[in-house]
Every structure is written in C-alpha cells, then in structure tokens.
Amino acid sequence: MVLIDGKKISLELQSEIALEVKDIIAKGKKQPHLAAILVGDDPASQTYVNNKVKACQNVGFKSTLIRFETTVSEQKLLSKIDELNNDDDVDGYIVQLPLPKNISEQKIIEAIKPSKDVDGFHPVNVGRLVLNLPTYVSATPFGIVQLLERYNIPTDGKHCVVIGRSHIVGSPMSILMAKNTKLANCTVTLCHSHTKNLKEHTLNADIIIAAIGKPNFVTADMVKEGAVIIDVGINRVNDASLAKGFKLVGDVKFDEVSKKSSYITPVPGGVGPMTIASLLKNTLIAAKKEF
Ligand code: GUN
C-alpha cells in the first residue's frame, strides 16, 4: 500500500508556482492577486480561508481577505462582488461557502465574473468543464487529478466510482474522470444517497473517490483488493481526550481499508492540502490570462 502524501505534493506544486511568480515579476509584470470573501465566523471556514491566504504569501501572491458579519445583506455582498469584478488588480477571487441561509449562494456565484472565478463554481465554468474547454476546475477535483498524475496512477479505461454528487466535489469530479484526457479517461459511476446496492458498485471500482461527508462511511467489505482510494471527507468527530475537543476523520475507515488498497490518501494530509495548491494554480492561470 502506498500512502499518497498530499502535503508533500502540494508543497512541490507551490514551489513550482513560486518560481513562475518570480519569473512574472522579473519580467516587470504585476504580482498575481487572489482575494477571498469570508462571511461570518464558522471555525472551519475561517481555518480554510486563513490557510488559503497563508499559501498566497508562500508563493509570492498578493492576497486580500474581505470579511463580513453573518448579518451582511445579499445586496452588500453583491456590491463587493461588483467591485472585485471591476478591480483590475484582482486576478481572481473566491467567496467561501457555505453562506448564511438568508443569502442565495447561487445568486452570489452567478455574480462572479467567470474569468475571475478561480473556484470554478460559475455555471459558465462548469459548462466549459462539461464541454472539455479550458476552464478553472474547482479546487478539490483539480487537486485529486494532480495527485493521481504525480503518483503515476493509471486511469485509462479504469472504473472509477465517485460517492457523492455535490456541486463542489462529486459532480465535477465525475465529469473530470470521464474526460478523454491523459489524466482521466475512466468509466465513471456516480453514486449518491439514493443509489441502490452501493456495495455492488464500489466492489467493482478500480478507483473510489469518497466525497459524502460521513465519517468512516467506506469500510473494507466495500472495497476490491488493490483499489485506489481517494478520501475527500474532512469530518470533525468529538474527542474529549484532545485539547481542541475534536479530531478530523475522513469518509473512509482508514485502518481497515488501507490494508486492501494499492494507494490511499490519509485524512488529514491527503486531498485537503491539494485544494490549496489547485486554487493557487487557478489564480496563476487567471493572472496569466491563459483563456
Ligand atoms: N467551501 C468548502 N470548499 C470550498 C471551496 O473549495 N471553495 C469555496 N469558496 N468554499 C468552499
């Protein structure tokens, strides 16, 4: 079994991005700039956004964090988005999700200028992904295909089972894995909460991508010997023995599934760090105006 080290690959990618930034600046061009909007004080969202901002510093990007109270109006948020859309210094920006219930996430996402939507959430960018056109692939799916590539894990003709159909991970992941590219070219089965006999599908999978947000959901009896296991879950489970009061566990029961797998991502340290590297890569693409 090979443990896929997402932290190491993420740092490698960040070093490559940092070299490109040096080159851009040496040519007298402006420093790439990522902005992030964070609404409210959800601890997990704060951690994610802080990590994104920190990563910008590591690679030499300029970053701007824009914070709003949970009570912010949709209108106020939309006017900030309009400002960022028209700010030539900002190459790309993200609005951290989830947003408070009184704000329409869809309306906010659709207000983002597609050329600055480095999360790849805008319907134009999702459509471009479906049509195999150059686009911003959302960070988690992009991170996963980069992990498969860096570990030389064959995908051509393989059966990939994606569990979960969220807009952020499961749906774009299934599209990406089915594409005729050197990074994918799989036969894909997209499973979800209404899938009957889930185990019948997963037992046939060469690659399982678990993105359901349920701790320890994928167990050894669901997995074929030698399968590649990608665990997207980051679930907080109470643990009174730890000072912070919780631990992070994935969607895969790591101890038992790892024994049957050929490759597996740990939680933490697997897919998570890759999402940051992907966001930085998308921001670099935006700064270079590649499409
Ligand atoms: N919430 C969970 N994951 C993400 C992400 O990749 N981008 C944004 N904007 N919000 C998220």
Side-chain angles (χ1 to χ4, degrees):
M1 181 273 288
V2 174
L3 194 65
I4 297 178
D5 189 343
K7 204 166 171 190
K8 181 175 131 233
I9 304 294
S10 174
L11 290 174
E12 275 176 29
L13 286 165
Q14 289 183 49
S15 302
E16 291 165 19
I17 293 167
L19 283 179
E20 282 209 54
V21 174
K22 273 201 181 128
D23 194 44
I24 287 170
I25 289 166
K27 286 184 177 139
K29 295 188 187 145
K30 84 168 193 67
Q31 190 182 18
H33 183 182
L34 174 72
I37 297 180
L38 174 62
V39 181
D41 49 14
D42 174 66
S45 290
Q46 284 188 71
T47 305
Y48 296 146
V49 172
N50 286 339
N51 287 342
K52 289 170 187 179
V53 169
K54 238 185 270 164
C56 283
Q57 286 155 13
N58 292 345
V59 299
F61 285 180
K62 181 174 170 185
S63 63
T64 303
L65 174 58
I66 302 150
R67 295 199 66 160
F68 290 102
E69 301 280 335
T70 320
T71 50
V72 68
S73 68
E74 191 173 272
Q75 201 44 49
K76 195 150 183 213
L77 215 45
L78 286 168
S79 81
K80 179 49 80 176
I81 285 175
D82 190 49
E83 203 182 292
L84 293 174
N85 285 345
N86 292 301
D87 183 342
D88 287 341
D89 193 59
V90 174
D91 298 295
Y93 66 95
I94 62 160
V95 180
Q96 188 66 25
L97 305 178
L99 291 170
K101 299 250 176 304
N102 60 313
I103 294 172
S104 160
E105 282 187 359
Q106 198 52 35
K107 208 165 170 183
I108 297 297
I109 288 168
E110 289 191 26
I112 299 172
K113 193 174 179 179
S115 61
K116 293 191 175 193
D117 167 41
V118 285
D119 257 331
F121 291 168
H122 191 284
V124 165
N125 287 323
V126 178
R128 292 179 69 89
L129 177 69
V130 173
L131 296 171
N132 218 356
L133 297 169
T135 188
Y136 302 113
V137 180
S138 59
T140 306
F142 191 21
I144 290 170
V145 290
Q146 290 178 97
L147 274 183
L148 296 171
E149 182 189 27
R150 297 268 163 157
Y151 275 83
N152 289 314
I153 295 172
T155 54
D156 198 308
K158 301 292 181 190
H159 181 208
C160 174
V161 170
V162 178
I163 315 176
R165 57 180 161 185
S166 72
H167 291 173
I168 293 183
V169 187
S171 294
M173 193 75 240
S174 65
I175 293 163
L176 204 52
M177 294 307 283
K179 272 169 69 161
N180 180 2
T181 67
K182 82 175 180 17
L183 298 184
N185 232 349
C186 290
T187 302
V188 176
T189 303
L190 178 58
C191 297
H192 47 76
S193 55
H194 284 233
T195 297
K196 296 209 164 61
N197 304 323
L198 176 65
K199 194 170 154 180
E200 272 177 27
H201 297 289
T202 57
L203 276 173
N204 274 316
D206 302 305
I207 302 169
I208 295 177
I209 302 177
I212 19 165
K214 290 190 182 161
N216 300 317
F217 181 83
V218 177
T219 46
D221 60 310
M222 297 166 71
V223 174
K224 182 169 83 173
E225 198 69 46
V228 175
I229 309 293
I230 306 293
D231 189 350
V232 182
I234 304 177
N235 307 293
R236 286 185 176 209
V237 173
N238 290 340
D239 187 337
S241 71
L242 299 174
K244 57 187 174 183
F246 67 89
K247 62 177 178 179
L248 295 178
V249 300
D251 290 350
V252 174
K253 204 163 188 180
F254 183 87
D255 290 349
E256 57 182 58
V257 172
S258 58
K259 294 193 181 90
K260 286 180 96 175
S261 62
S262 53
Y263 293 85
I264 188 165
T265 59
V267 176
V271 172
M274 290 301 292
T275 62
I276 302 237
S278 302
L279 177 67
L280 298 173
K281 241 182 151 166
N282 276 343
T283 306
L284 192 62
I285 291 169
K288 294 197 310 194
K289 307 225 173 342
E290 284 186 1
F291 57 86

